[in-house]
Amino acid sequence: MHQPILTASQRARRQPAESRLAASAPLSRAESEGPISRTERKERTRQRLIDGALALIGRGRSYTSLSLREIAREAGVVPAAFYRHFRDLDELGLALVEMGGVTLRRLLREARRDGIPPTDMIRGSVLIYKRYVEERALVFRFIAAERAGGSRILRNAIRTEDGHFASEMAQDLRALGVMPDLSSASLQMICGLVVTTMLNAASDILDLPRGQPVQEQEMVANFVRQLRLIFLGAKHWRE
Amino acid sequence: MHQPILTASQRARRQPAESRLAASAPLSRAESEGPISRTERKERTRQRLIDGALALIGRGRSYTSLSLREIAREAGVVPAAFYRHFRDLDELGLALVEMGGVTLRRLLREARRDGIPPTDMIRGSVLIYKRYVEERALVFRFIAAERAGGSRILRNAIRTEDGHFASEMAQDLRALGVMPDLSSASLQMICGLVVTTMLNAASDILDLPRGQPVQEQEMVANFVRQLRLIFLGAKHWRE
DNA sequence: TGTACATCAGTGAACGCGCGTTCACTGATGTAC
DNA sequence: TGTACATCAGTGAACGCGCGTTCACTGATGTAC
């Protein structure tokens, strides 16, 4: 009555897991070497479920409106197999939040490694950030949307990640000797404002219509001026 | 097989439309006077659908995850009746956005009427705003969540409303003679930042666990300091 | 190394359910005369 | 004012569909000896 299109092993090999942000093993090894362990195969399926959810987000869907069956289908797996990896959709969502946290922390790590743009620091940083968001559109779309619109569990998890991100940013600024007169609490508050401004901007960046350079420049200019305003305030902050 | 619990006219009278934010006719009239026009009855059903959606949001659901049938059920109306009022859920969502816009504009109107708190302006305004959000929790929950997490149509509509709100705020600040040296564009940019900070805070306010005064005070203090920082930046802004 | 058994990731079928949408209808309200 | 007809908000039944979850199962991988 309902003939399966792929055999199990064909299913397992379908679609090479695009947007594999936090993959540990390089793809070449996975493709070249022969038999793989049960643990490894399981991990790959798990990753395919995560990638499947992201792929659907990439097609304009919001995570909140995805169904378990849709995600399983996208991952090339039977719906029941989902339960071998996640209790429910919230648990998969938490994995995406974790991935978002890693993505944010990597942004800071790269900034530490490459240094802040020497001239027009804020504008330079904004442009780097914009590119970073565009290259990781799916994760940022997820984070930006579920930060306020997801389930209570996801909202809280994302809030926690944002907090860590802000703390780490505060630490970096302190280490750089920027604004040495500010208390840690003030620095933390300021970074909190910077982070919400950045995530709001991420949402704007991802909603920019393609091929509208004027609108794009206005958005960037506005984002830059908002950050300038915040840092100008920080310069005069006494506490 | 499936006996209806209410007759049509009983249905129409059920549940007195709580949270009727923008109702035009006072309830007393509706209940005391006898026959009502077809137009009026239709308008009431429409309002019951809107209120039904809000009631479901009030029970912790996100608008994006509501179904047409659920809303119709909540409004005490058969699913097919929905189509007499809205083409689809997005169109009802736009009505909720409109209601949110009215709610925001009324906040400014009340501020204009009552004046800004004379001492500790920012802190006073924050406390007024906090109470305003809590009293209109459902609309703010909707706006805060769908602003980033809704359909593209809703996101854009909410962005437009936010923009109007920011413009109106800029106009009010100008009229008050606050920061007279700033260009209109700068004032608009600053108000944009204030608005996103306010809406972010709305989300935090609504997620505060009840009976945790310490956490609540910390949230308020942080919100106050972020706004102070912004206005401190604005004071030194030259453009 | 070879064999016999255990594990368990993924299968496929089934379930009851709520979904969005359509349709011809009903009966109260509105209107033309 | 009274009557005959038109309008149309809301009904109730039906449709096909995708949903989340359960279950016994299969067969490849892992392990003990």
Side-chain angles (χ1 to χ4, degrees):
Chain A
M1 192 116 314
H2 178 66
Q3 204 69 0
I5 295 158
L6 303 176
T7 67
S9 57
Q10 277 175 327
R11 265 220 194 83
R13 249 165 246 131
R14 213 165 60 111
Q15 111 188 349
E18 53 177 4
S19 78
R20 174 187 296 268
L21 277 178
S24 45
L27 264 181
S28 59
R29 183 198 173 285
E31 279 167 352
S32 65
E33 296 204 12
I36 54 179
S37 76
R38 191 138 78 183
T39 324
E40 196 173 346
R41 186 178 293 280
K42 183 174 185 186
E43 178 49 38
R44 284 195 202 174
T45 305
R46 189 186 129 96
Q47 192 58 47
R48 282 222 314 289
L49 286 166
I50 291 176
D51 290 340
L54 283 174
L56 290 165
I57 289 170
R59 273 179 240 140
R61 310 287 313 281
S62 83
Y63 183 74
T64 306
S65 74
L66 297 184
S67 74
L68 182 153
R69 274 172 180 271
E70 232 175 335
I71 295 171
R73 208 180 301 130
E74 187 69 22
V77 119
V78 117
F82 183 93
Y83 296 102
R84 297 270 179 224
H85 303 276
F86 305 102
R87 188 193 315 280
D88 53 27
L89 285 170
D90 264 345
E91 206 168 293
L92 198 168
L94 290 177
L96 289 172
V97 173
E98 165 69 20
M99 182 180 261
V102 170
T103 303
L104 288 175
R105 265 172 262 132
R106 190 157 60 171
L107 174 59
L108 288 177
R109 185 151 46 80
E110 289 183 10
R112 245 172 270 139
R113 191 194 58 202
D114 303 345
I116 305 286
T119 62
D120 206 347
M121 284 171 43
I122 288 181
R123 190 180 173 76
S125 301
V126 160
L127 292 176
I128 290 172
Y129 175 66
K130 175 164 173 287
R131 207 158 69 96
Y132 194 81
V133 168
E134 284 165 344
E135 282 169 357
R136 292 152 184 84
L138 309 186
V139 202
F140 274 97
R141 199 179 290 281
F142 169 81
I143 294 291
E146 304 304 315
R147 204 163 73 93
S151 70
R152 175 171 278 269
I153 289 177
L154 288 190
R155 288 202 305 273
N156 283 333
I158 294 174
R159 224 167 262 161
T160 302
E161 288 297 339
D162 290 358
H164 291 161
F165 182 51
S167 297
E168 210 169 313
M169 187 187 288
Q171 233 175 300
D172 282 14
L173 291 182
R174 173 113 304 164
L176 285 171
V178 193
M179 305 180 282
D181 298 338
L182 290 182
S183 72
S184 292
S186 296
L187 205 53
Q188 176 76 23
M189 176 275 290
I190 291 163
C191 288
L193 182 56
V194 170
V195 169
T196 61
T197 305
M198 283 173 69
L199 291 176
N200 259 299
S203 178
D204 293 343
I205 289 168
L206 294 169
D207 272 351
L208 276 175
R210 311 259 277 153
Q212 296 277 356
V214 177
Q215 204 178 324
E216 185 169 337
Q217 279 161 29
E218 277 175 9
M219 194 254 115
V220 169
N222 193 55
F223 184 18
V224 168
R225 287 190 296 166
Q226 289 188 342
L227 287 181
R228 274 201 217 294
L229 186 82
I230 292 172
F231 284 110
L232 183 57
K235 202 174 99 182
H236 293 89
W237 190 261
R238 291 291 161 256
E239 198 178 291
Chain B
M1 194 116 312
H2 178 64
Q3 204 69 359
I5 295 160
L6 303 176
T7 68
S9 56
Q10 279 175 326
R11 264 220 194 83
R13 250 165 245 129
R14 209 166 61 111
Q15 109 187 351
E18 51 177 5
S19 77
R20 173 188 297 268
L21 278 178
S24 45
L27 264 181
S28 58
R29 183 198 173 284
E31 278 167 351
S32 64
E33 296 203 12
I36 53 179
S37 77
R38 191 137 80 184
T39 326
E40 195 173 348
R41 186 179 293 280
K42 183 174 186 186
E43 176 50 39
R44 283 195 206 174
T45 305
R46 190 187 127 97
Q47 192 58 48
R48 283 221 313 289
L49 286 166
I50 292 176
D51 290 339
L54 283 174
L56 290 165
I57 289 170
R59 273 178 240 141
R61 310 286 314 281
S62 84
Y63 183 74
T64 306
S65 73
L66 296 184
S67 75
L68 182 153
R69 275 173 180 271
E70 232 175 336
I71 295 171
R73 208 180 301 131
E74 188 69 22
V77 119
V78 118
F82 183 94
Y83 296 102
R84 297 271 178 223
H85 303 275
F86 305 101
R87 187 192 316 279
D88 53 27
L89 285 171
D90 264 345
E91 206 168 292
L92 198 166
L94 290 178
L96 288 173
V97 173
E98 165 68 21
M99 181 180 264
V102 170
T103 303
L104 288 175
R105 266 173 263 131
R106 189 157 61 171
L107 174 61
L108 288 178
R109 186 150 45 81
E110 290 183 8
R112 244 172 272 137
R113 191 193 59 201
D114 303 344
I116 304 286
T119 62
D120 205 347
M121 284 172 44
I122 289 181
R123 191 181 171 77
S125 301
V126 159
L127 292 176
I128 290 171
Y129 175 66
K130 175 165 173 287
R131 206 157 69 97
Y132 194 81
V133 169
E134 283 165 345
E135 281 168 358
R136 292 149 184 88
L138 309 186
V139 202
F140 275 96
R141 200 178 290 283
F142 170 80
I143 293 290
E146 304 304 316
R147 204 163 73 94
S151 70
R152 175 171 278 269
I153 289 177
L154 288 190
R155 289 202 304 274
N156 283 334
I158 293 175
R159 224 168 261 161
T160 302
E161 288 295 340
D162 290 358
H164 290 160
F165 181 52
S167 298
E168 211 169 313
M169 187 188 288
Q171 232 175 300
D172 282 14
L173 290 182
R174 172 113 306 164
L176 285 171
V178 193
M179 307 181 280
D181 299 338
L182 291 182
S183 72
S184 290
S186 296
L187 206 53
Q188 176 77 22
M189 176 275 290
I190 291 163
C191 288
L193 183 56
V194 170
V195 169
T196 61
T197 305
M198 283 172 68
L199 291 175
N200 260 298
S203 179
D204 293 342
I205 289 168
L206 295 169
D207 272 351
L208 275 176
R210 311 260 277 153
Q212 296 277 355
V214 176
Q215 204 177 323
E216 186 168 335
Q217 279 161 29
E218 277 174 9
M219 194 256 116
V220 170
N222 194 54
F223 183 18
V224 169
R225 287 190 296 165
Q226 289 188 341
L227 287 180
R228 274 199 216 295
L229 185 82
I230 292 172
F231 284 109
L232 183 58
K235 202 174 98 183
H236 293 89
W237 190 263
R238 291 291 160 254
E239 198 176 293

